[in-house]
Amino acid sequence: MTVILLAYLLGSLQPGLWIGQTFFKKDIREHGSGNTGTTNTFRVLGKTAGIIVLILDMAKGSIATLLPIWFGVAIHPMLAGAFAIIGHVFSIFIRFKGGKAVATSAGVVLAVQPILLLGLAVVWVSVLYLSSMVSLASILTLIVAAIASLFVGDWVFTLVIWIAMIIVFVRHRSNIERIKNGEENKVSFGLGQAKK
């Protein structure tokens, strides 16, 4: 239970929020999408802060997933990773709100299936280039991850990835509506990039 609690607390850390408040005097919950994760950090605080938060959000997922191995606890690492994802989305530090779980989920996969994550990164970048939509890239990549997980041969890994996919879908409900209506925000990268 201690490892699970630590994993949840690690996931609950919100570097995007804290970096914004400390260095930019901004609460990113009051800007952009209102989320505290990587994408909104890029949007509100810029590229440097976004890259730092991406690394930290992934790192907390990876570290949480590896805790059972480091402590020699007989818990599947992916279960600890699942609680890091839950912590990111429902952070105890900000009244059980948080981000959309994409970067933290990537960190969880990195800890146990780094080659798979490399393939997923290619999918994400490719979809982003074709659509210029971070949300669409994230959603489609999680779908690919869920399908790929069926061939890993580890039912716990598969279960956690499918849970992560569902969480990502739920957290992107408004994005999905905007995509369907042709109103989703676009980034200045790729074939469909936002007009300047």
Side-chain angles (χ1 to χ4, degrees):
M1 281 301 294
T2 301
V3 164
I4 294 299
L5 178 59
L6 284 174
Y8 170 75
L9 291 174
L10 268 172
S12 290
L13 298 175
Q14 300 293 326
L17 174 64
W18 298 335
I19 287 173
Q21 290 175 331
T22 303
F23 298 103
F24 296 86
K25 307 306 178 187
K26 281 186 178 180
D27 186 333
I28 62 174
R29 294 172 296 181
E30 299 172 355
H31 303 274
S33 66
N35 288 290
T36 60
T38 299
T39 301
N40 202 40
T41 302
F42 268 102
R43 184 180 294 119
V44 177
L45 305 181
K47 185 183 298 184
T48 301
I51 291 172
I52 292 170
V53 171
L54 170 63
I55 293 170
L56 292 175
D57 277 349
M58 287 185 66
K60 69 185 185 183
S62 294
I63 292 169
T65 304
L66 293 170
L67 286 177
I69 297 172
W70 291 344
F71 286 98
V73 178
I75 296 173
H76 195 294
M78 287 298 292
L79 293 179
F83 276 88
I85 294 169
I86 292 169
H88 178 75
V89 177
F90 304 106
S91 172
I92 193 172
F93 301 122
I94 51 172
R95 299 181 181 179
F96 300 101
K97 295 181 180 179
K100 294 185 177 180
V102 177
T104 303
S105 297
V108 171
V109 176
L110 175 63
V112 293
Q113 293 287 342
I115 302 302
L116 174 58
L117 181 67
L118 182 60
L120 295 174
V122 172
V123 172
W124 189 88
V125 171
S126 299
V127 176
L128 180 62
Y129 177 73
L130 293 171
S131 68
S132 299
M133 289 185 280
V134 174
S135 56
L136 183 61
S138 299
I139 292 165
L140 292 182
T141 300
L142 261 295
I143 292 173
V144 172
I147 295 170
S149 73
L150 298 172
F151 302 94
V152 169
D154 182 337
W155 71 268
V156 178
F157 179 86
T158 300
L159 176 63
V160 172
I161 295 302
W162 278 78
I163 290 171
M165 181 186 70
I166 292 169
I167 290 173
V168 168
F169 262 78
V170 171
R171 297 292 286 168
H172 283 83
R173 292 189 309 274
S174 60
N175 303 87
I176 292 170
E177 283 301 312
R178 289 196 297 271
I179 291 170
K180 290 195 298 186
N181 296 330
E183 300 170 348
E184 178 62 326
N185 295 323
K186 294 185 177 182
V187 297
S188 56
F189 168 81
L191 300 180
Q193 60 186 277
K195 297 288 191 296
K196 293 186 179 180

